[in-house]
Amino acid sequence: MSEGAAKKEERRKFQAIKGTRDILPPETALWNRVEQTAHEVFATFGFGEIRLPVIETLGLFARSLGTETDIVGKEMFLLAEREPSVVVHPGRFGPPPQSEQERRDEVERVFSEPSMRESIEQQIEESVLALRPEATASVCRAYIEHSMQQLPQPVKLYCIGPMFRRERPQKGRYRQFYQIDAEVLGGTDAPAIDAEVIEMVMTFFERLGLEGVQLDINCIGDKKCRPKYVELLRAELSKVKDKLGPDSQRRIETNPLRVLDSRLESEQKLIEAMPHIADHLCEECAENYRGVKKELELRGVKYRENWRLVRGLDYYMRTTFEITAPGLGSQNAVCGGGRYDGLMELLGGPPTKGIGFAIGEDRLILSLLETGHSPLATRHSPLLYIAWMGEKAYATAIRAAKNLRNAGFSVELPPVEQKFGKALGQADKLGARFALILGDNEVTSGQWTLKTLADGKQEKLRESDLVEHLKKQL
Ligand code: ATP
Ligand code: MG
């Protein structure tokens, strides 16, 4: 390496890539509290934790989410780990293409044959890997792979971990973000199931002390009634197509329900005038929706009906819900969920009912911080700082640190000797509550000095009394 290149190398700074970030202490203490609360609350509702890989085949998401969704169409992080085995060239077994144009012509020809296209697409979906953009598809894959339909139904699972979507990063929107996800699979689709799942999320938020959350619910019909409504909506939207923005215009064709989601000011009046799905539900869906509302009321869960709430993913049906939280600006959805009874079959499994939700953990933490939940309240600052001087005192200090830590106290033991004044200053800076002073005098007399840093009060204590004494102070 030349000297110049070496210098340049030395100066090079590595940074977290766009849309990803480091989460640092003390904020991580809040993350741990949130996750611990999820483990506790979900366990009381009978949920077990599942840990899933973050890499799956592209096909799993293409099949479950639908190729027309933004997530699969634009936002996936793909890894060409295994080369697709399909090689397209003229004559198929003949010589490789002579020119780029020749190759392109051949690709076009092969792709225009439906059966070839399907087989190639399938091979690509199986050989290309993707960083997971969400967890539901993986949970369903695992349910099928481990024949969980043989377990007592329903199977209740939750998982916590990172998801990846190539979106435009902004406040509350990242390319690597974290979700707390829960799913109820199998058994019945009785309204009580939907209501209990929603009750569980609300209980979780309540336990965290998150205030000002708003639950919106809707019913988006099923295989029988939704397609008719979607056609009606498509027809009505087509009548005003010219007045809609380009995104909505495109969605009239690809996914008209998604137009209802639009936040574009100029479209609001037009959308408000569209037919409501509630007026077009089949009797079973209407009955189910009434049941869900009644079950929520029985549980004291407050909700707002929002006819425009649709989920962006193809697999949802009937109950859908979203929860918003304060302090987040326009990215204010902290949880989205719904029923997806057809998904398991779509993935090659047995007919299985399903409902679940995903909480955006980053946004949840942001909202907690914005509404005055200090991470410092849960911060692990050392309770006790050991100020030691002298070789004999050092051995005693190590023993004291070991015993105190075993008793559950957080202890800071300085690695090198320092004057008492400096040590006490350091203890103060770290936010310690107590300093244990160990010098030659203390070691010889067996009487240790415990200083309370807030008021400077000093007490003499025997080694054997220290743990009990500290326990009483907590
Ligand atoms: P949004 O409408 O905000 O894009 P979404 O409909 O894409 O949300 P879901 O796929 O339902 O979201 O995911 C559930 C939750 O995950 C969201 O309510 C949100 O809190 C969180 N979430 C989704 N995408 C991101 C992201 N890029 N960064 C941070 N959190 C996210
Ligand atoms: Mg999104």
Side-chain angles (χ1 to χ4, degrees):
M1 201 186 290
S2 76
E3 205 177 305
K7 273 235 165 80
K8 206 164 158 200
E9 185 70 12
E10 210 174 282
R11 274 199 309 271
R12 183 169 164 203
K13 289 213 171 63
F14 292 103
Q15 287 184 317
I17 61 171
K18 189 175 169 187
T20 71
R21 64 205 179 114
D22 305 307
I23 300 161
L24 308 171
E27 201 182 299
T28 35
L30 193 52
W31 284 73
N32 284 329
R33 182 161 77 81
V34 163
E35 290 171 14
Q36 191 50 41
T37 307
H39 292 304
E40 286 165 17
V41 172
F42 293 3
T44 65
F45 282 81
F47 281 68
E49 186 184 7
I50 179 168
R51 298 201 180 196
L52 299 158
V54 297
I55 313 175
E56 300 268 7
T57 58
L58 168 61
L60 177 68
F61 303 112
R63 192 88 67 83
S64 60
L65 304 176
T67 43
E68 293 301 338
T69 52
D70 283 354
I71 296 184
V72 174
K74 311 195 291 222
E75 299 172 358
M76 297 275 264
F77 282 98
L78 301 177
L79 310 163
E81 170 68 14
R82 287 176 276 153
E83 286 294 315
S85 59
V86 215
V87 181
V88 181
H89 63 75
R92 228 158 285 152
F93 301 110
Q98 295 305 304
S99 66
E100 182 58 16
Q101 188 56 45
E102 230 178 52
R103 196 187 64 81
R104 270 198 230 134
D105 288 350
E106 176 61 7
V107 169
E108 196 140 308
R109 194 180 64 71
V110 170
F111 267 79
S112 64
E113 271 176 48
S115 63
M116 272 306 274
R117 193 177 59 228
E118 224 167 78
S119 129
I120 291 172
E121 273 173 3
Q122 195 184 340
Q123 290 215 35
I124 291 174
E125 286 182 359
E126 277 163 19
S127 54
V128 174
L129 305 181
L131 294 183
R132 64 177 181 192
E134 57 110 45
T136 307
S138 305
V139 177
C140 291
R141 185 215 21 86
Y143 180 92
I144 299 166
E145 191 167 334
H146 303 286
S147 306
M148 291 191 216
Q149 71 272 15
Q150 287 164 11
L151 302 175
Q153 305 291 303
V155 174
K156 301 193 235 179
L157 298 168
Y158 73 96
C159 80
I160 302 178
M163 306 294 155
F164 305 86
R165 296 183 194 174
R166 198 189 290 276
E167 308 199 67
R168 194 170 67 79
Q170 52 197 289
K171 183 183 173 191
R173 194 177 290 290
Y174 312 99
R175 290 182 164 190
Q176 175 173 343
F177 61 100
Y178 295 78
Q179 282 188 341
I180 302 173
D181 178 280
E183 317 286 347
V184 179
L185 301 167
T188 140
D189 61 356
I193 299 268
D194 304 39
E196 193 176 81
V197 164
I198 296 175
E199 181 191 9
M200 182 169 88
V201 202
M202 298 307 272
T203 306
F204 169 59
F205 287 150
E206 202 179 301
R207 191 72 57 83
L208 286 173
L210 182 66
E211 280 170 3
V213 291
Q214 167 73 47
L215 163 69
D216 280 16
I217 62 165
N218 193 18
C219 175
I220 58 168
D222 64 7
K223 280 206 289 284
K224 279 204 306 290
C225 53
R226 188 161 43 153
K228 283 187 217 144
Y229 171 73
V230 170
E231 277 323 304
L232 176 69
L233 185 62
R234 183 175 277 140
E236 290 300 313
L237 286 168
S238 300
K239 290 184 194 161
V240 296
K241 185 169 180 181
D242 306 344
K243 298 186 191 126
L244 298 171
D247 276 348
S248 293
Q249 287 194 1
R250 188 170 39 83
R251 286 182 174 142
I252 293 179
E253 297 311 319
T254 58
N255 195 349
L257 281 179
R258 241 2 247 277
V259 178
L260 303 181
D261 236 6
S262 155
R263 297 196 180 186
L264 211 64
E265 201 43 54
S266 61
E267 297 181 339
Q268 298 309 309
K269 255 217 165 98
L270 295 166
I271 295 173
E272 279 304 322
M274 289 294 137
H276 291 204
I277 191 160
D279 301 326
H280 300 272
L281 295 175
C282 61
E283 190 38 43
E284 289 89 343
C285 285
E287 171 70 28
N288 182 272
Y289 190 33
R290 282 193 293 274
V292 171
K293 287 185 281 187
K294 193 180 115 215
E295 289 284 346
L296 285 173
E297 281 149 28
L298 282 173
R299 289 166 171 76
V301 177
K302 294 207 172 52
Y303 61 84
R304 179 171 72 184
E305 286 183 77
N306 176 358
W307 73 274
R308 284 177 57 179
L309 176 69
V310 294
R311 308 284 311 139
L313 310 179
D314 284 359
Y315 55 61
Y316 283 108
M317 60 170 291
R318 283 196 177 164
T319 307
T320 55
F321 58 98
E322 186 166 273
I323 300 166
T324 52
L328 296 173
S330 55
Q331 263 62 252
N332 63 351
V334 283
C335 175
R339 179 163 282 287
Y340 49 83
D341 292 351
L343 178 57
M344 204 74 81
E345 273 168 281
L346 208 58
L347 296 175
T352 310
K353 311 282 183 202
I355 181 166
F357 63 77
I359 295 167
E361 194 176 357
D362 307 70
R363 290 187 199 174
L364 170 57
I365 302 276
L366 257 176
S367 181
L368 284 169
L369 290 172
E370 297 272 339
T371 54
H373 292 252
S374 165
L376 296 177
T378 44
R379 190 172 75 149
H380 226 58
S381 57
L383 176 79
L384 187 136
Y385 190 97
I386 304 184
W388 60 270
M389 267 188 88
E391 221 168 282
K392 254 204 259 158
Y394 185 46
T396 309
I398 290 175
R399 189 177 73 228
K402 192 189 282 269
N403 289 337
L404 287 163
R405 284 173 179 150
N406 282 342
F409 295 111
S410 158
V411 174
E412 197 64 30
L413 177 68
V416 289
E417 185 173 58
Q418 15 177 24
K419 298 244 157 59
F420 283 128
K422 191 164 171 215
L424 291 175
Q426 188 67 12
D428 229 13
K429 256 193 230 152
L430 289 174
R433 261 181 75 187
F434 303 102
L436 179 65
I437 299 172
L438 291 178
D440 283 345
N441 288 347
E442 278 80 8
V443 174
T444 337
S445 68
Q447 292 279 317
W448 295 1
T449 308
L450 185 72
K451 182 171 171 148
T452 310
L453 288 156
D455 57 11
K457 194 176 87 186
Q458 296 207 19
E459 297 161 272
K460 291 275 179 200
L461 285 170
R462 305 188 61 79
E463 177 174 4
S464 53
D465 298 335
L466 185 60
V467 166
E468 278 315 306
H469 180 80
L470 285 171
K471 275 190 182 152
K472 275 189 226 128
Q473 311 271 320
L474 291 182

